[in-house]
């Protein structure tokens, strides 16, 4: 996928049924050690880049890329030299 605006990415996630969509900004060379979420992750990169490691598999994401991750999947995150901005769909509070 090519670059996408925040408005276009929000429309994509909304079309998938997501209603709670947040903008996440991380600085350059940011590292988030291995962790997991109790919910599925559905993200779209707006600008910059990030690498997500799941087990021994590496996903290099750039502007316009989409990524989905099942709940309870352990993963690590690393941003590139320009940081990253992405939209993430989060489950609505029950």
């Amino acid at each position: 996928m090519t670059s996408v605006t925040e408005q276009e990415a929000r429309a994509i996630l909304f079309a998938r049924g997501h209603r709670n969509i947040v903008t996440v900004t991380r600085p350059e060379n940011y590292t988030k050690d291995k962790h997991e979420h109790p919910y599925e992750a559905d993200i779209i990169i707006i600008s910059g880049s990030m690498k997500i490691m799941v087990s021994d598999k590496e996903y290099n994401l750039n502007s316009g890329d989409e990524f989905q991750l099942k709940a309870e999947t352990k993963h690590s995150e690393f941003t590139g030299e320009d940081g990253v901005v992405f939209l993430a769909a989060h489950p609505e509070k029950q």
Side-chain angles (χ1 to χ4, degrees):
M1 184 176 217
T2 58
S3 66
V4 63
T5 67
E6 187 168 339
Q7 183 176 9
E8 291 167 331
R10 192 171 294 280
I12 291 167
L13 293 171
F14 191 82
R16 291 182 186 156
H18 300 298
R19 299 298 179 258
N20 189 20
I21 302 166
V22 298
T23 303
V24 179
T25 302
R26 300 245 169 90
E28 73 264 0
N29 302 316
Y30 174 87
T31 298
K32 188 163 187 175
D33 292 328
K34 193 175 280 190
H35 64 286
E36 60 187 69
H37 309 281
Y39 51 84
E40 292 184 4
D42 193 356
I43 70 169
I44 300 176
I45 307 296
I46 304 301
S47 64
S49 63
M50 71 185 297
K51 175 173 62 175
I52 298 178
M53 297 289 298
V54 179
S55 298
D56 60 350
K57 187 152 183 156
E58 182 176 306
Y59 299 90
N60 291 294
L61 308 173
N62 295 291
S63 180
D65 288 339
E66 301 178 24
F67 188 77
Q68 293 82 36
L69 192 66
K70 292 183 180 184
E72 309 297 334
T73 301
K74 292 185 193 275
H75 63 286
S76 302
E77 303 170 15
F78 310 90
T79 64
E81 293 179 1
D82 295 324
V84 70
V85 176
F86 61 91
L87 289 187
H90 287 278
E92 295 186 45
K93 293 180 181 173
Q94 309 230 348

